[in-house]
Amino acid sequence: MTLQTRPKATNALGDISLLYVSVMLRAIEAEGGATEKLKTQFHLSDSALASPDSRISIPRYMRLGHAGISLTGNRALGLRMGALTRPADTGLAGLAAETAHSVGQALSTLIRYSLLTSENSRGEPSLDKTGRLARFHSIAPYNQYNYFVVDSILAAWVQLARHMTGRYDVLERVRIEYPSIGQDELFESWFRCPVEFSATENSIQLKESVWHHPPAQAHPAMHNKLTQWCEDELREIRQGWSVADRVQRLLTPLLRGETPTLETLAAKLGTTPWTLQRQLSSEGTGFRQLLDKTRKQLAQDYIRETNASLSEIAWLLGFANPPAFHKAYQRWYGISPGESRKAIRQGT
């Protein structure tokens, strides 16, 4: 299998495979929505949608989802997306997951190789094998543009478990970080278990019998072969990262409400502050420069690509208060963030 190094996301907030967009379009059509206009509006060609390597920026994906919700009137479109997600819709990782010896191993496979189909600056999903928990990282602050993202990811994981077991009652609990949007009964009916909104995390907890369930599709030899391909692709992606790239990937989730320290980043990378600073220096940069660069890139994308308020952006970038963010933005771009957003919306 010939591997090609995938380029880094051009948007600081990350990107996602068009495989997920295809699922979204199927869900919109299932809800009676016409998708051709959306495809034209968001410049989605049939050839791009057919390619497993094509990507869309995370903010553009969120705007597309919001447009789909507005078109169909279904605020729970994310659940519909999850229900229509097949293993192949999550790429090579999904095919590897389908051949795992248990549902728990399948989720572990899907989460370990999530980077193959989505690079999100806000974080990565994780797995707690002891608690039989699959967690999706926080994408707060929440609004009508990103509720569906949480719904679709959690629902897709559940759909995989249902697909592999032939059962619908696979969960003990669902926790969702955003507040209730008034559809609690619908969510509990779909997940078939208690759903807690305004929780401290986004997660699903599987029943023990489901976690260990051996699916009919289990195939040890094929699973090993497919996971090796996943490992090769993952290694190829990570080999293209410099130390500065690794630091920037860790910085964004840590910025929310505070300024990370060199010591914190070094600990996460398993090294000492002095060694990390030396490595960055050899690449012609330093921790403070990277922190400023990361904030600058993210600030422009938040202003241009999202509807987050300026105070929310200040918090997301780890500034002590909005005035501190305004001052930094003025230094970076010679214009205030409010004026910048106004100019972008006016197309100037």
Side-chain angles (χ1 to χ4, degrees):
M1 182 179 182
T2 302
L3 299 176
Q4 295 181 341
T5 303
R6 184 172 62 80
K8 290 188 294 181
T10 56
N11 187 287
L13 300 177
D15 58 24
I16 189 168
S17 170
L18 287 191
L19 290 169
Y20 295 96
V21 172
S22 295
V23 174
M24 182 191 295
L25 294 176
R26 290 206 304 271
I28 292 171
E29 288 179 345
E31 290 291 314
T35 57
E36 287 305 315
K37 185 177 180 180
L38 284 180
K39 287 163 67 175
T40 300
Q41 179 184 347
F42 286 87
H43 309 291
L44 299 169
S45 67
D46 290 336
S47 59
L49 289 167
S51 170
D53 298 319
S54 298
R55 298 271 172 149
I56 185 174
S57 75
I58 294 290
R60 191 166 158 223
Y61 176 69
M62 290 181 177
R63 290 200 301 273
L64 177 60
H66 179 258
I69 291 170
S70 299
L71 180 64
T72 62
N74 182 3
R75 291 186 296 162
L77 185 66
L79 297 185
R80 185 69 136 160
M81 290 172 61
L84 293 174
T85 299
R86 307 161 301 181
D89 293 320
T90 53
L92 188 59
L95 297 177
E98 191 176 23
T99 58
H101 67 71
S102 69
V103 172
Q105 187 187 42
L107 277 176
S108 178
T109 301
L110 204 59
I111 287 172
R112 173 169 174 76
Y113 303 116
S114 61
L115 187 62
L116 304 188
T117 51
S118 177
E119 185 171 347
N120 195 322
S121 66
R122 305 295 296 278
E124 297 178 4
S126 61
L127 194 73
D128 177 353
K129 295 181 181 179
T130 304
R132 307 185 307 281
L133 282 167
R135 293 189 176 96
F136 180 63
H137 54 272
S138 174
I139 54 173
Y142 290 98
N143 53 52
Q144 57 187 337
Y145 286 86
N146 61 7
Y147 293 144
F148 84 92
V149 177
V150 175
D151 302 343
S152 64
I153 295 296
L154 298 186
W157 290 344
V158 173
Q159 186 63 21
L160 176 66
R162 289 172 174 171
H163 167 73
M164 297 182 77
T165 62
R167 293 172 51 179
Y168 280 89
D169 58 331
V170 297
L171 299 177
E172 290 184 354
R173 183 184 66 185
V174 172
R175 305 185 75 190
I176 293 176
E177 199 177 25
Y178 67 75
S180 169
I181 57 173
Q183 294 188 309
D184 298 31
E185 289 186 7
L186 172 63
F187 274 70
E188 295 200 343
S189 173
W190 196 93
F191 285 111
R192 298 198 178 191
C193 72
V195 178
E196 177 189 352
F197 290 93
S198 298
T200 56
E201 65 182 15
N202 299 307
S203 66
I204 60 168
Q205 183 175 35
L206 271 72
K207 293 183 176 181
E208 186 170 3
S209 59
V210 172
W211 183 266
H212 299 291
H213 191 283
Q217 301 93 335
H219 194 298
M222 186 56 68
H223 179 73
N224 289 338
K225 188 174 187 67
L226 289 167
T227 52
Q228 186 56 59
W229 284 350
C230 290
E231 282 293 330
D232 291 343
E233 286 207 7
L234 190 62
R235 188 180 309 111
E236 195 78 14
I237 291 171
R238 288 175 171 167
Q239 280 179 349
W241 293 347
S242 63
V243 175
D245 289 333
R246 295 175 187 277
V247 169
Q248 284 194 277
R249 280 186 60 81
L250 291 172
L251 270 174
T252 305
L254 295 172
L255 281 171
R256 289 174 294 194
E258 59 182 301
T259 301
T261 64
L262 175 64
E263 289 72 20
T264 299
L265 269 295
K268 285 189 170 292
L269 289 169
T271 188
T272 65
W274 182 86
T275 300
L276 177 56
Q277 190 63 54
R278 179 175 54 80
Q279 291 171 332
L280 291 175
S281 179
S282 70
E283 294 180 358
T285 187
F287 177 70
R288 288 294 167 189
Q289 294 97 310
L290 273 180
L291 176 61
D292 197 57
K293 177 184 176 182
T294 303
R295 281 173 160 168
K296 179 181 178 180
Q297 291 174 337
L298 288 170
Q300 188 174 57
D301 282 342
Y302 281 131
I303 291 290
R304 183 181 62 233
E305 304 278 14
T306 77
N307 282 337
S309 68
L310 298 183
S311 59
E312 286 175 334
I313 295 174
W315 179 80
L316 285 166
L317 297 178
F319 285 100
N321 49 57
F325 164 55
H326 283 242
K327 183 178 179 181
Y329 197 93
Q330 185 81 39
R331 170 171 58 84
W332 292 327
Y333 296 109
I335 187 175
S336 74
E339 292 171 330
S340 181
R341 173 169 278 176
K342 182 179 178 181
I344 289 168
R345 289 177 176 175
Q346 291 176 343
T348 58

